[in-house]
Amino acid sequence: MNKVLMKGNEAIGEAAIAAGCRYFFGYPITPQSELPEFLSRRLPQVGGVFLQAESEVAAINMVYGAASTGARVMTSSSSPGISLKQEGISYLAASELPCVIVNIMRAGPGLGGIQPSQSDYFQATRGGGHGDYRTIVLAPASVQEIVDLVIEGFELADRYRLPVMILGDGNLGQMMEPVQMDRTAKGRLPAKPWALTGKKGRPRNIINSLNLDPEKLEMHNRKLERRYQEIKERETKAESYLTDDAEIVVAAYGIVARVSKAAVDRARAEGIKAGLFRPITLWPFPEKELNEATARARNVLTVEMSLGQMVEDVKLALNGRLPAAFYGRVGGVVPTVSGVFEEIQKINQNSGKVK
Amino acid sequence: MAVVFERPRSLTDQRFRYCPGCHHGIIHRLVAEAIDDLEIQDRTIAVASVGCSVFSYEYFDTDAIQAAHGRAPAVATGIKRVEPECVVFTYQGDGDLAAIGTAEIVHAAARGENITVIFVNNAVYGMTSGQMAPTTLIGQVTTTSPDGRIPSRAGYPIRVCELLNTLEGPAYLARVSVHDPRHVREAKKAIKEAFQVQLAGKGFSLVEVLSACPTNWHLSPLEAIEWIKEKMIPYYPLGKFKNVLEVKEDA
């Protein structure tokens, strides 16, 4: 199939349809509104349901209801809207319901701005809502990768029975790139004997997150934790670029990784042995992959559109083995190639002195 | 010997946890009887809310889900949109439906969502032990309206049926009570009609049931029944506000 030019937000919608998602509940917010707009046209064409909810809170609870029937279902929003959805995400996680949630991040806190940001990293990777839970967080860096990760997101959500978040930013949602749209979900939906469909010929099913007995609730928490450990062992994903001999490794995700890649190329042209490490799963964080990518490094530089959030995971993964520097732009400002290059240069000069 | 009275099939053997004199048990039974009468047990999905009735998923012998506080109509919407052949109902109290869940109930009604809502109004927050509800009557003493509800401080009680009746979406709206056998029979009829409206695909149906909370009203069960008659019904008049099935028959 030929490549087609698609906007990031619209590619998310088309990929969801390719993954077998037929239900979308959402609420408009910049810079992701093209996604619900696109699905309001496309879903009825494939026999699906698009419903514009009265609020983000209602939208995620509609997702909770639809997911309880075993259907593949998606919602999307941007930062302030995701904050509102956290109540429902906690319930989905507690009730072990699969779904895909898209966050096309904008700058905050509060109403913030509408320009791109990566400042929801903590919220996305630490659970975000109340209680002990995690969601799988996937961070695409191109429109093509959006397609691949949305499809994979639905597979992971079903396999592990939890919400999967696609964490992009305003840049990625708004940019247009050629994509190949001939990919479809790998297989049929797994059996979902737990789903609510009316109890015809079987004992009733109950979807519930209430457990007043503390020991039972602890058992439930432990059960979820065992699943999170399994995901940590099996599902981390990252990309390394020129890291084999790199002395300075730049760690960045999403659109910032692309900026950083150009900065790494420039550093190489200047004779600096730089490389790039790009986490694709933000939770679970690819700790082993980062340590492999920095085996020969003397310094790690984390670059983000935040005041320093992923850098904490980088430091945890390195566990003091290497010095970890940070460079971030916030408020909707996107780091430039020369900005990142200058940081690499600074580290190169400083580490030269130490030597 | 012929069996003339038995437990509805759509109730489990689980014992109710409700306080003495509370009407949730009666209302649960009426809902279960309606499900039995209509022979829809195997395709019904119950949505339990937050509050005293949170455990209703244990009591109804149907598929069931427990929703976050106030969000039951949104959860029911998600279920019904995927499973239109299922009968989906929410069971909500007044704090859940008329305070934190006001947006969800108004918009589910406005959309004409083809679900049934059983709305239990006892004019107080039960589970959290007697705080003021949106439906608490003027002058009614609660733990958070210790001088009685004073409108200048706490606003006025909300009449949910009348509020929703301003919308085009609802197909069935009725307010009933279960304080005596005659009213119990009328309540049963209304609940059954509400389900029939959903089965006919006509849209949103809601039955508001006035209900006693002797524990938090600090009254005996019998005094509580008198309080419903003397205080609640005058402010919350009983009756049918809308039934699209009847309108059609009359025409």
Side-chain angles (χ1 to χ4, degrees), chain A residues 48-64:
Chain A
V49 172
F50 166 87
L51 181 55
Q52 184 171 317
E54 62 270 29
S55 68
E56 288 88 348
V57 177
I60 192 70
N61 281 282
M62 289 171 187
V63 168
Y64 177 71

Side-chain angles (χ1 to χ4, degrees), chain A residues 64-76:
Chain A
Y64 177 71
S68 78
T69 70
R72 280 195 166 166
V73 52
M74 186 169 86
T75 188
S76 67

Side-chain angles (χ1 to χ4, degrees), chain A residues 51 54 57-58 61-62 64-66 68-69 87 91 196-200 202 204-209 212, chain B residues 12 41-42 55 57-58 60-66 68 71 74-75 77-79 82-83 86 103-104 107 111:
Chain A
L51 181 55
E54 62 270 29
V57 177
N61 281 282
M62 289 171 187
Y64 177 71
S68 78
T69 70
E87 173 196 67
Y91 277 73
L196 306 183
T197 53
K199 61 167 212 156
K200 310 165 203 70
R202 58 159 168 78
R204 72 207 170 105
N205 281 339
I206 296 174
I207 306 277
N208 174 38
S209 66
L212 289 182
Chain B
T12 63
Q41 184 187 7
D42 283 358
F55 283 114
Y57 59 83
E58 288 191 355
F60 292 114
D61 191 7
T62 63
D63 273 6
I65 185 168
Q66 172 261 318
R71 318 298 177 221
V75 174
T77 297
I79 296 170
V82 184
E83 298 282 353
C86 283
E104 283 79 2
H107 287 275
R111 284 192 303 270

